[in-house]
Short mmCIF file of all heavy atoms in Angstrom, two decimals:
data_model
loop_
_atom_site.label_atom_id
_atom_site.label_comp_id
_atom_site.label_asym_id
_atom_site.label_seq_id
_atom_site.Cartn_x
_atom_site.Cartn_y
_atom_site.Cartn_z
N MET A 1 312.61 13.98 26.86
CA MET A 1 313.86 14.20 27.55
C MET A 1 314.31 12.90 28.19
O MET A 1 313.59 12.15 28.72
CB MET A 1 313.59 15.20 28.70
CG MET A 1 314.73 15.46 29.51
SD MET A 1 314.36 16.78 30.77
CE MET A 1 315.40 16.13 32.07
N ALA A 2 315.63 12.65 28.08
CA ALA A 2 316.21 11.42 28.62
C ALA A 2 316.17 11.56 30.15
O ALA A 2 316.36 12.57 30.72
CB ALA A 2 317.67 11.28 28.12
N THR A 3 315.96 10.39 30.83
CA THR A 3 315.91 10.36 32.29
C THR A 3 317.17 9.66 32.81
O THR A 3 317.38 9.75 34.06
CB THR A 3 314.67 9.66 32.78
OG1 THR A 3 314.67 8.32 32.26
CG2 THR A 3 313.41 10.36 32.34
N PHE A 4 317.96 9.05 31.96
CA PHE A 4 319.22 8.39 32.42
C PHE A 4 320.14 8.30 31.24
O PHE A 4 319.78 8.51 30.07
CB PHE A 4 318.91 6.94 32.97
CG PHE A 4 318.43 5.96 31.90
CD1 PHE A 4 319.38 5.17 31.24
CD2 PHE A 4 317.10 5.86 31.56
CE1 PHE A 4 319.00 4.27 30.29
CE2 PHE A 4 316.74 4.95 30.55
CZ PHE A 4 317.68 4.14 29.92
N LEU A 5 321.39 8.04 31.56
CA LEU A 5 322.47 7.94 30.56
C LEU A 5 323.35 6.66 30.86
O LEU A 5 323.82 6.47 31.96
CB LEU A 5 323.33 9.20 30.65
CG LEU A 5 324.54 9.23 29.76
CD1 LEU A 5 324.11 9.23 28.28
CD2 LEU A 5 325.35 10.51 30.05
N ARG A 6 323.50 5.89 29.86
CA ARG A 6 324.46 4.75 29.81
C ARG A 6 325.58 5.29 29.02
O ARG A 6 325.49 5.45 27.76
CB ARG A 6 323.88 3.51 29.25
CG ARG A 6 324.85 2.37 29.35
CD ARG A 6 324.15 1.12 28.76
NE ARG A 6 325.01 -0.08 28.90
CZ ARG A 6 324.77 -1.20 28.29
NH1 ARG A 6 323.78 -1.30 27.40
NH2 ARG A 6 325.60 -2.20 28.46
N ILE A 7 326.72 5.63 29.53
CA ILE A 7 327.82 6.27 28.87
C ILE A 7 328.49 5.42 27.82
O ILE A 7 328.80 5.88 26.68
CB ILE A 7 328.89 6.81 29.85
CG1 ILE A 7 328.16 7.79 30.85
CG2 ILE A 7 330.06 7.43 29.18
CD1 ILE A 7 328.88 8.15 32.04
N ASN A 8 328.70 4.13 28.08
CA ASN A 8 329.39 3.27 27.15
C ASN A 8 328.63 2.00 27.09
O ASN A 8 328.08 1.52 28.12
CB ASN A 8 330.82 3.01 27.77
CG ASN A 8 331.66 2.16 26.80
OD1 ASN A 8 331.39 1.00 26.60
ND2 ASN A 8 332.71 2.79 26.26
N GLY A 9 328.59 1.30 25.92
CA GLY A 9 327.83 0.09 25.79
C GLY A 9 328.30 -1.05 26.69
O GLY A 9 327.63 -2.01 26.90
N ALA A 10 329.61 -0.95 27.19
CA ALA A 10 330.10 -2.00 28.13
C ALA A 10 329.75 -1.70 29.53
O ALA A 10 329.95 -2.61 30.43
CB ALA A 10 331.62 -1.99 27.92
N ASP A 11 329.14 -0.58 29.85
CA ASP A 11 328.84 -0.21 31.24
C ASP A 11 327.78 -1.15 31.86
O ASP A 11 326.81 -1.47 31.13
CB ASP A 11 328.32 1.27 31.30
CG ASP A 11 329.38 2.26 31.00
OD1 ASP A 11 330.56 1.81 30.82
OD2 ASP A 11 329.06 3.46 30.87
N ASN A 12 327.92 -1.49 33.08
CA ASN A 12 326.92 -2.21 33.84
C ASN A 12 326.15 -1.36 34.81
O ASN A 12 325.43 -1.81 35.67
CB ASN A 12 327.51 -3.47 34.50
CG ASN A 12 328.60 -3.17 35.52
OD1 ASN A 12 328.84 -1.97 35.87
ND2 ASN A 12 329.28 -4.17 35.99
N VAL A 13 326.35 -0.03 34.63
CA VAL A 13 325.57 0.97 35.40
C VAL A 13 325.14 2.09 34.49
O VAL A 13 325.68 2.23 33.37
CB VAL A 13 326.38 1.64 36.57
CG1 VAL A 13 326.78 0.56 37.56
CG2 VAL A 13 327.56 2.38 36.08
N ALA A 14 324.11 2.75 34.86
CA ALA A 14 323.68 4.03 34.20
C ALA A 14 323.57 5.11 35.30
O ALA A 14 323.51 4.82 36.40
CB ALA A 14 322.38 3.78 33.45
N VAL A 15 323.45 6.31 34.80
CA VAL A 15 323.37 7.50 35.70
C VAL A 15 322.07 8.13 35.55
O VAL A 15 321.62 8.46 34.37
CB VAL A 15 324.48 8.49 35.36
CG1 VAL A 15 324.38 9.74 36.30
CG2 VAL A 15 325.85 7.86 35.53
N ALA A 16 321.27 8.31 36.64
CA ALA A 16 320.03 9.02 36.56
C ALA A 16 320.24 10.47 36.27
O ALA A 16 321.01 11.16 36.97
CB ALA A 16 319.27 8.85 37.89
N LEU A 17 319.57 11.04 35.28
CA LEU A 17 319.67 12.45 34.92
C LEU A 17 318.62 13.28 35.67
O LEU A 17 318.80 14.45 35.81
CB LEU A 17 319.55 12.62 33.41
CG LEU A 17 320.59 11.97 32.55
CD1 LEU A 17 320.27 12.16 31.09
CD2 LEU A 17 321.97 12.50 32.94
N THR A 18 317.52 12.63 36.05
CA THR A 18 316.49 13.18 36.90
C THR A 18 316.25 12.14 38.07
O THR A 18 316.69 10.99 37.97
CB THR A 18 315.19 13.36 36.11
OG1 THR A 18 314.72 12.07 35.70
CG2 THR A 18 315.44 14.29 34.89
N ALA A 19 315.56 12.59 39.05
CA ALA A 19 315.16 11.61 40.12
C ALA A 19 314.26 10.60 39.51
O ALA A 19 313.33 10.82 38.78
CB ALA A 19 314.45 12.36 41.29
N LEU A 20 314.58 9.28 39.81
CA LEU A 20 313.87 8.16 39.33
C LEU A 20 313.28 7.45 40.55
O LEU A 20 313.73 7.61 41.69
CB LEU A 20 314.76 7.19 38.60
CG LEU A 20 315.48 7.81 37.31
CD1 LEU A 20 316.47 6.84 36.76
CD2 LEU A 20 314.45 8.29 36.31
N HIS A 21 312.23 6.69 40.31
CA HIS A 21 311.47 6.13 41.48
C HIS A 21 311.40 4.56 41.33
O HIS A 21 311.32 4.02 40.27
CB HIS A 21 310.07 6.71 41.54
CG HIS A 21 310.15 8.22 41.58
ND1 HIS A 21 310.51 8.90 42.71
CD2 HIS A 21 309.96 9.15 40.68
CE1 HIS A 21 310.55 10.18 42.54
NE2 HIS A 21 310.22 10.38 41.26
N ALA A 22 311.34 3.96 42.47
CA ALA A 22 311.13 2.50 42.52
C ALA A 22 309.88 2.18 41.74
O ALA A 22 308.84 2.84 41.77
CB ALA A 22 310.95 2.07 43.93
N GLY A 23 310.01 1.14 40.90
CA GLY A 23 308.92 0.72 40.07
C GLY A 23 308.99 1.32 38.64
O GLY A 23 308.27 0.83 37.72
N ASP A 24 309.77 2.39 38.45
CA ASP A 24 309.85 2.91 37.09
C ASP A 24 310.44 1.87 36.18
O ASP A 24 311.35 1.12 36.55
CB ASP A 24 310.88 4.10 37.12
CG ASP A 24 310.26 5.39 37.67
OD1 ASP A 24 309.05 5.44 37.99
OD2 ASP A 24 311.02 6.40 37.73
N ARG A 25 309.88 1.86 34.99
CA ARG A 25 310.36 0.89 33.94
C ARG A 25 311.13 1.66 32.89
O ARG A 25 310.68 2.64 32.27
CB ARG A 25 309.15 0.20 33.27
CG ARG A 25 308.33 -0.65 34.25
CD ARG A 25 307.17 -1.32 33.56
NE ARG A 25 306.47 -2.16 34.54
CZ ARG A 25 306.79 -3.42 34.83
NH1 ARG A 25 307.82 -3.99 34.22
NH2 ARG A 25 306.09 -4.12 35.68
N LEU A 26 312.39 1.23 32.75
CA LEU A 26 313.33 1.90 31.80
C LEU A 26 313.73 0.99 30.72
O LEU A 26 314.00 -0.25 30.98
CB LEU A 26 314.55 2.41 32.53
CG LEU A 26 314.30 3.26 33.78
CD1 LEU A 26 315.66 3.56 34.46
CD2 LEU A 26 313.61 4.56 33.45
N THR A 27 313.79 1.38 29.50
CA THR A 27 314.30 0.56 28.40
C THR A 27 315.70 0.97 28.10
O THR A 27 315.97 2.16 27.80
CB THR A 27 313.39 0.75 27.13
OG1 THR A 27 312.08 0.34 27.49
CG2 THR A 27 313.90 -0.19 25.96
N VAL A 28 316.63 0.03 28.19
CA VAL A 28 318.06 0.26 28.05
C VAL A 28 318.49 -0.45 26.80
O VAL A 28 318.36 -1.68 26.65
CB VAL A 28 318.86 -0.16 29.24
CG1 VAL A 28 320.34 0.13 29.05
CG2 VAL A 28 318.39 0.47 30.52
N GLU A 29 319.06 0.32 25.83
CA GLU A 29 319.55 -0.28 24.56
C GLU A 29 320.54 -1.34 24.84
O GLU A 29 321.45 -1.24 25.62
CB GLU A 29 320.17 0.86 23.68
CG GLU A 29 320.55 0.30 22.36
CD GLU A 29 321.13 1.38 21.43
OE1 GLU A 29 320.76 2.57 21.69
OE2 GLU A 29 321.91 1.06 20.57
N GLY A 30 320.34 -2.55 24.25
CA GLY A 30 321.23 -3.65 24.37
C GLY A 30 320.88 -4.52 25.59
O GLY A 30 321.51 -5.60 25.75
N ILE A 31 320.02 -4.05 26.47
CA ILE A 31 319.73 -4.75 27.72
C ILE A 31 318.23 -5.15 27.73
O ILE A 31 317.86 -6.25 28.08
CB ILE A 31 320.12 -4.00 28.96
CG1 ILE A 31 321.70 -3.93 29.03
CG2 ILE A 31 319.56 -4.63 30.22
CD1 ILE A 31 322.28 -3.25 30.18
N GLY A 32 317.43 -4.21 27.41
CA GLY A 32 315.99 -4.37 27.48
C GLY A 32 315.34 -3.60 28.66
O GLY A 32 315.88 -2.56 29.04
N GLU A 33 314.29 -4.09 29.17
CA GLU A 33 313.63 -3.35 30.24
C GLU A 33 314.17 -3.62 31.58
O GLU A 33 314.55 -4.72 31.95
CB GLU A 33 312.13 -3.69 30.25
CG GLU A 33 311.32 -2.86 31.25
CD GLU A 33 309.84 -3.17 31.26
OE1 GLU A 33 309.46 -4.21 31.82
OE2 GLU A 33 309.12 -2.35 30.70
N ILE A 34 314.36 -2.52 32.39
CA ILE A 34 314.77 -2.62 33.79
C ILE A 34 313.73 -1.99 34.65
O ILE A 34 313.18 -0.90 34.30
CB ILE A 34 316.07 -1.92 33.99
CG1 ILE A 34 317.20 -2.69 33.24
CG2 ILE A 34 316.39 -1.75 35.45
CD1 ILE A 34 318.54 -2.12 33.42
N VAL A 35 313.29 -2.66 35.74
CA VAL A 35 312.39 -2.12 36.68
C VAL A 35 313.25 -1.61 37.93
O VAL A 35 313.91 -2.49 38.47
CB VAL A 35 311.28 -3.07 37.11
CG1 VAL A 35 310.40 -2.50 38.11
CG2 VAL A 35 310.54 -3.51 35.85
N LEU A 36 313.19 -0.39 38.24
CA LEU A 36 314.01 0.07 39.35
C LEU A 36 313.50 -0.52 40.66
O LEU A 36 312.23 -0.52 40.92
CB LEU A 36 314.02 1.58 39.39
CG LEU A 36 314.72 2.30 38.24
CD1 LEU A 36 314.58 3.81 38.37
CD2 LEU A 36 316.14 1.84 38.07
N ALA A 37 314.38 -0.97 41.48
CA ALA A 37 314.04 -1.63 42.71
C ALA A 37 313.94 -0.60 43.85
O ALA A 37 313.40 -0.90 44.88
CB ALA A 37 315.10 -2.69 43.11
N GLU A 38 314.53 0.58 43.69
CA GLU A 38 314.48 1.61 44.69
C GLU A 38 314.57 2.97 44.01
O GLU A 38 314.87 3.08 42.87
CB GLU A 38 315.57 1.44 45.73
CG GLU A 38 316.99 1.35 45.13
CD GLU A 38 318.03 0.96 46.21
OE1 GLU A 38 317.96 1.41 47.33
OE2 GLU A 38 318.91 0.15 45.85
N ASP A 39 314.33 4.06 44.83
CA ASP A 39 314.50 5.39 44.26
C ASP A 39 315.94 5.64 43.93
O ASP A 39 316.84 5.25 44.68
CB ASP A 39 313.99 6.42 45.31
CG ASP A 39 312.47 6.33 45.61
OD1 ASP A 39 311.76 5.82 44.67
OD2 ASP A 39 312.03 6.90 46.58
N ILE A 40 316.20 6.41 42.80
CA ILE A 40 317.51 6.69 42.44
C ILE A 40 317.57 8.27 42.29
O ILE A 40 316.93 8.82 41.42
CB ILE A 40 317.91 6.14 41.07
CG1 ILE A 40 317.59 4.60 41.01
CG2 ILE A 40 319.37 6.43 40.72
CD1 ILE A 40 318.33 3.74 41.90
N PRO A 41 318.32 8.91 43.19
CA PRO A 41 318.43 10.40 43.08
C PRO A 41 319.15 10.78 41.80
O PRO A 41 319.98 10.06 41.27
CB PRO A 41 319.24 10.80 44.31
CG PRO A 41 319.20 9.61 45.23
CD PRO A 41 319.04 8.41 44.33
N ALA A 42 318.80 11.95 41.26
CA ALA A 42 319.54 12.52 40.06
C ALA A 42 320.97 12.58 40.38
O ALA A 42 321.44 12.89 41.40
CB ALA A 42 319.00 13.93 39.75
N GLY A 43 321.79 12.10 39.33
CA GLY A 43 323.21 12.16 39.42
C GLY A 43 323.80 10.88 40.02
O GLY A 43 325.07 10.72 40.02
N HIS A 44 322.96 9.94 40.40
CA HIS A 44 323.50 8.71 41.06
C HIS A 44 323.41 7.53 40.09
O HIS A 44 322.66 7.55 39.15
CB HIS A 44 322.72 8.36 42.34
CG HIS A 44 323.03 9.30 43.39
ND1 HIS A 44 323.99 9.03 44.42
CD2 HIS A 44 322.61 10.55 43.70
CE1 HIS A 44 324.05 10.08 45.25
NE2 HIS A 44 323.20 10.99 44.86
N LYS A 45 324.27 6.49 40.34
CA LYS A 45 324.33 5.34 39.52
C LYS A 45 323.37 4.27 39.94
O LYS A 45 323.06 4.18 41.17
CB LYS A 45 325.72 4.74 39.52
CG LYS A 45 326.85 5.63 39.06
CD LYS A 45 328.18 5.03 39.08
CE LYS A 45 328.75 4.74 40.46
NZ LYS A 45 328.86 5.90 41.33
N PHE A 46 322.87 3.51 39.01
CA PHE A 46 322.09 2.32 39.29
C PHE A 46 322.51 1.17 38.43
O PHE A 46 323.12 1.36 37.33
CB PHE A 46 320.57 2.55 39.15
CG PHE A 46 320.09 2.96 37.77
CD1 PHE A 46 319.64 2.03 36.88
CD2 PHE A 46 320.15 4.37 37.39
CE1 PHE A 46 319.26 2.38 35.62
CE2 PHE A 46 319.68 4.73 36.16
CZ PHE A 46 319.21 3.72 35.25
N SER A 47 322.32 -0.03 38.94
CA SER A 47 322.82 -1.24 38.24
C SER A 47 321.87 -1.61 37.09
O SER A 47 320.67 -1.60 37.19
CB SER A 47 322.96 -2.43 39.27
OG SER A 47 321.70 -2.68 39.89
N LEU A 48 322.53 -2.07 35.99
CA LEU A 48 321.85 -2.51 34.78
C LEU A 48 321.74 -4.01 34.82
O LEU A 48 321.08 -4.58 33.93
CB LEU A 48 322.50 -2.02 33.59
CG LEU A 48 322.59 -0.49 33.39
CD1 LEU A 48 323.40 -0.17 32.18
CD2 LEU A 48 321.20 0.08 33.34
N GLU A 49 322.36 -4.69 35.72
CA GLU A 49 322.34 -6.08 35.88
C GLU A 49 322.59 -6.48 37.34
O GLU A 49 323.08 -5.58 38.14
CB GLU A 49 323.44 -6.78 34.98
CG GLU A 49 324.83 -6.32 35.28
CD GLU A 49 325.89 -6.77 34.23
OE1 GLU A 49 325.63 -6.58 33.08
OE2 GLU A 49 326.85 -7.35 34.67
N SER A 50 322.35 -7.66 37.75
CA SER A 50 322.64 -8.11 39.08
C SER A 50 324.21 -8.20 39.19
O SER A 50 324.84 -8.74 38.29
CB SER A 50 322.04 -9.44 39.39
OG SER A 50 320.58 -9.27 39.41
N LEU A 51 324.71 -7.69 40.31
CA LEU A 51 326.20 -7.66 40.55
C LEU A 51 326.49 -8.39 41.83
O LEU A 51 325.90 -8.05 42.90
CB LEU A 51 326.71 -6.29 40.63
CG LEU A 51 326.43 -5.35 39.39
CD1 LEU A 51 326.82 -3.88 39.79
CD2 LEU A 51 327.13 -5.81 38.22
N ALA A 52 327.24 -9.50 41.74
CA ALA A 52 327.74 -10.25 42.94
C ALA A 52 328.84 -9.36 43.65
O ALA A 52 329.56 -8.64 43.05
CB ALA A 52 328.27 -11.56 42.53
N SER A 53 328.90 -9.57 45.00
CA SER A 53 329.85 -8.93 45.79
C SER A 53 331.22 -9.06 45.18
O SER A 53 331.61 -10.24 44.81
CB SER A 53 329.82 -9.46 47.22
OG SER A 53 330.80 -8.88 47.99
N GLY A 54 331.98 -8.03 45.07
CA GLY A 54 333.33 -8.07 44.50
C GLY A 54 333.37 -7.69 42.96
O GLY A 54 334.41 -7.57 42.44
N THR A 55 332.23 -7.69 42.30
CA THR A 55 332.15 -7.45 40.88
C THR A 55 332.55 -6.00 40.59
O THR A 55 332.14 -5.09 41.36
CB THR A 55 330.76 -7.71 40.35
OG1 THR A 55 330.37 -9.06 40.60
CG2 THR A 55 330.64 -7.38 38.87
N ASP A 56 333.32 -5.76 39.50
CA ASP A 56 333.66 -4.41 39.16
C ASP A 56 332.44 -3.66 38.65
O ASP A 56 331.64 -4.22 37.91
CB ASP A 56 334.73 -4.39 38.08
CG ASP A 56 336.14 -4.78 38.55
OD1 ASP A 56 336.35 -4.65 39.72
OD2 ASP A 56 336.93 -5.25 37.68
N VAL A 57 332.31 -2.39 39.02
CA VAL A 57 331.39 -1.48 38.46
C VAL A 57 331.98 -0.84 37.23
O VAL A 57 333.11 -0.32 37.33
CB VAL A 57 331.02 -0.43 39.46
CG1 VAL A 57 330.02 0.68 38.79
CG2 VAL A 57 330.24 -1.03 40.62
N ILE A 58 331.39 -1.05 36.06
CA ILE A 58 331.94 -0.49 34.80
C ILE A 58 331.10 0.73 34.37
O ILE A 58 329.97 0.70 34.24
CB ILE A 58 331.82 -1.56 33.70
CG1 ILE A 58 332.40 -2.93 34.15
CG2 ILE A 58 332.51 -1.06 32.38
CD1 ILE A 58 333.90 -2.94 34.43
N LYS A 59 331.88 1.83 34.25
CA LYS A 59 331.41 3.13 33.89
C LYS A 59 332.36 3.71 32.95
O LYS A 59 333.64 3.58 33.24
CB LYS A 59 331.07 4.08 35.10
CG LYS A 59 330.40 5.33 34.74
CD LYS A 59 330.12 6.12 35.99
CE LYS A 59 329.62 7.49 35.70
NZ LYS A 59 329.44 8.30 36.89
N TYR A 60 332.03 4.37 31.87
CA TYR A 60 332.90 4.92 30.85
C TYR A 60 333.65 3.81 30.11
O TYR A 60 334.68 3.95 29.48
CB TYR A 60 334.01 5.85 31.45
CG TYR A 60 333.45 6.92 32.38
CD1 TYR A 60 333.70 6.87 33.70
CD2 TYR A 60 332.76 8.02 31.88
CE1 TYR A 60 333.25 7.75 34.62
CE2 TYR A 60 332.23 8.97 32.79
CZ TYR A 60 332.50 8.83 34.12
OH TYR A 60 332.08 9.80 34.96
N GLY A 61 333.15 2.51 30.29
CA GLY A 61 333.77 1.39 29.69
C GLY A 61 334.90 0.80 30.50
O GLY A 61 335.59 -0.07 30.00
N PHE A 62 335.18 1.34 31.66
CA PHE A 62 336.27 0.86 32.53
C PHE A 62 335.83 0.62 33.96
O PHE A 62 334.83 1.26 34.41
CB PHE A 62 337.38 1.97 32.53
CG PHE A 62 337.97 2.26 31.24
CD1 PHE A 62 337.48 3.27 30.46
CD2 PHE A 62 338.99 1.43 30.73
CE1 PHE A 62 338.10 3.57 29.15
CE2 PHE A 62 339.56 1.69 29.45
CZ PHE A 62 339.05 2.69 28.71
N PRO A 63 336.51 -0.23 34.72
CA PRO A 63 336.16 -0.39 36.06
C PRO A 63 336.46 0.84 36.88
O PRO A 63 337.51 1.46 36.74
CB PRO A 63 336.94 -1.60 36.56
CG PRO A 63 337.87 -1.91 35.42
CD PRO A 63 337.56 -1.09 34.24
N ILE A 64 335.44 1.27 37.75
CA ILE A 64 335.65 2.46 38.51
C ILE A 64 335.64 2.13 40.04
O ILE A 64 336.11 2.99 40.81
CB ILE A 64 334.57 3.59 38.26
CG1 ILE A 64 333.20 3.06 38.57
CG2 ILE A 64 334.71 4.07 36.83
CD1 ILE A 64 332.13 4.15 38.68
N CYS A 65 335.20 0.95 40.39
CA CYS A 65 335.15 0.52 41.76
C CYS A 65 334.61 -0.94 41.69
O CYS A 65 334.42 -1.48 40.67
CB CYS A 65 334.24 1.46 42.69
SG CYS A 65 332.54 1.46 42.18
N HIS A 66 334.33 -1.49 42.91
CA HIS A 66 333.64 -2.74 42.90
C HIS A 66 332.62 -2.79 44.04
O HIS A 66 332.79 -1.97 44.98
CB HIS A 66 334.64 -3.91 43.13
CG HIS A 66 335.41 -3.94 44.32
ND1 HIS A 66 336.66 -3.31 44.43
CD2 HIS A 66 335.12 -4.42 45.56
CE1 HIS A 66 337.11 -3.48 45.65
NE2 HIS A 66 336.25 -4.15 46.34
N VAL A 67 331.62 -3.57 43.89
CA VAL A 67 330.55 -3.55 44.93
C VAL A 67 330.96 -4.37 46.12
O VAL A 67 331.72 -5.38 46.01
CB VAL A 67 329.15 -4.11 44.37
CG1 VAL A 67 328.59 -3.06 43.40
CG2 VAL A 67 329.29 -5.46 43.71
N THR A 68 330.53 -4.04 47.24
CA THR A 68 330.95 -4.70 48.53
C THR A 68 329.82 -5.68 49.03
O THR A 68 330.06 -6.28 50.03
CB THR A 68 331.21 -3.65 49.62
OG1 THR A 68 330.11 -2.82 49.82
CG2 THR A 68 332.42 -2.77 49.22
N ARG A 69 328.77 -5.72 48.35
CA ARG A 69 327.68 -6.72 48.63
C ARG A 69 327.02 -6.96 47.27
O ARG A 69 327.14 -6.25 46.34
CB ARG A 69 326.78 -6.19 49.73
CG ARG A 69 325.95 -4.99 49.29
CD ARG A 69 324.93 -4.59 50.32
NE ARG A 69 324.15 -3.41 49.95
CZ ARG A 69 323.05 -3.44 49.22
NH1 ARG A 69 322.60 -4.54 48.72
NH2 ARG A 69 322.47 -2.30 48.96
N ASP A 70 326.15 -8.03 47.31
CA ASP A 70 325.38 -8.31 46.12
C ASP A 70 324.43 -7.15 45.88
O ASP A 70 323.82 -6.56 46.81
CB ASP A 70 324.55 -9.57 46.32
CG ASP A 70 325.46 -10.80 46.44
OD1 ASP A 70 326.60 -10.79 46.12
OD2 ASP A 70 324.90 -11.85 46.84
N VAL A 71 324.28 -6.75 44.59
CA VAL A 71 323.40 -5.65 44.21
C VAL A 71 322.46 -6.18 43.09
O VAL A 71 322.94 -6.69 42.10
CB VAL A 71 324.16 -4.47 43.69
CG1 VAL A 71 323.22 -3.35 43.26
CG2 VAL A 71 325.12 -3.96 44.72
N ALA A 72 321.12 -6.10 43.31
CA ALA A 72 320.17 -6.54 42.35
C ALA A 72 320.06 -5.52 41.21
O ALA A 72 320.37 -4.33 41.36
CB ALA A 72 318.81 -6.72 43.04
N LYS A 73 319.55 -6.02 40.06
CA LYS A 73 319.37 -5.14 38.90
C LYS A 73 318.39 -4.01 39.31
O LYS A 73 317.46 -4.31 39.98
CB LYS A 73 318.80 -5.93 37.80
CG LYS A 73 318.53 -5.12 36.48
CD LYS A 73 317.67 -5.85 35.51
CE LYS A 73 318.29 -7.12 34.99
NZ LYS A 73 317.56 -7.65 33.83
N GLY A 74 318.69 -2.80 38.92
CA GLY A 74 317.86 -1.69 39.17
C GLY A 74 317.98 -1.06 40.58
O GLY A 74 317.22 -0.20 41.00
N CYS A 75 319.08 -1.34 41.25
CA CYS A 75 319.32 -0.77 42.56
C CYS A 75 320.41 0.32 42.50
O CYS A 75 321.33 0.32 41.72
CB CYS A 75 319.83 -1.86 43.51
SG CYS A 75 318.50 -2.92 44.09
N LEU A 76 320.32 1.26 43.44
CA LEU A 76 321.32 2.31 43.64
C LEU A 76 322.62 1.56 44.08
O LEU A 76 322.54 0.69 44.89
CB LEU A 76 320.86 3.23 44.76
CG LEU A 76 321.72 4.31 45.21
CD1 LEU A 76 321.84 5.38 44.06
CD2 LEU A 76 321.32 4.99 46.45
N ILE A 77 323.71 1.98 43.51
CA ILE A 77 325.00 1.30 43.97
C ILE A 77 325.94 2.21 44.62
O ILE A 77 326.91 1.77 45.15
CB ILE A 77 325.65 0.58 42.76
CG1 ILE A 77 326.07 1.56 41.71
CG2 ILE A 77 324.73 -0.48 42.21
CD1 ILE A 77 327.10 1.02 40.87
N ASP A 78 325.70 3.54 44.66
CA ASP A 78 326.74 4.40 45.29
C ASP A 78 327.01 4.11 46.69
O ASP A 78 328.19 4.26 47.06
CB ASP A 78 326.23 5.83 45.13
CG ASP A 78 326.33 6.37 43.68
OD1 ASP A 78 327.02 5.74 42.91
OD2 ASP A 78 325.67 7.37 43.37
N HIS A 79 326.11 3.66 47.52
CA HIS A 79 326.31 3.44 48.87
C HIS A 79 327.05 2.11 49.19
O HIS A 79 327.30 1.86 50.34
CB HIS A 79 325.04 3.56 49.68
CG HIS A 79 323.95 2.56 49.29
ND1 HIS A 79 323.18 2.78 48.20
CD2 HIS A 79 323.64 1.45 49.84
CE1 HIS A 79 322.36 1.73 48.12
NE2 HIS A 79 322.59 0.89 49.09
N ASN A 80 327.22 1.29 48.23
CA ASN A 80 327.93 0.03 48.47
C ASN A 80 328.99 -0.30 47.48
O ASN A 80 329.25 -1.40 47.09
CB ASN A 80 326.88 -1.15 48.56
CG ASN A 80 326.02 -1.19 47.32
OD1 ASN A 80 326.47 -1.03 46.23
ND2 ASN A 80 324.74 -1.39 47.58
N CYS A 81 329.68 0.76 46.99
CA CYS A 81 330.71 0.66 45.98
C CYS A 81 332.02 1.22 46.53
O CYS A 81 331.94 2.34 47.09
CB CYS A 81 330.26 1.42 44.73
SG CYS A 81 331.47 1.37 43.42
N ILE A 82 333.10 0.46 46.47
CA ILE A 82 334.43 0.97 46.97
C ILE A 82 335.42 0.81 45.85
O ILE A 82 335.14 0.10 44.91
CB ILE A 82 334.87 0.32 48.24
CG1 ILE A 82 335.07 -1.15 48.05
CG2 ILE A 82 333.88 0.65 49.38
CD1 ILE A 82 335.82 -1.82 49.13
#
């Protein structure tokens, strides 16, 4: 069973389909391995790459918001995305 979904190959986030935990190692096609830096609740987004403050969050292949602070790879981004 899949634990996360990357909707479009251009996305810099993925969505947790189940609760994921800090330290989980995920293999993402086209990116490689990501180690989650924090717990990710089911249904929430996490970063597939490090994002500098102001960077667009790409989901569905399109920008949906931008981060308001630097976000490390493997972090929950919902609480710092506007």
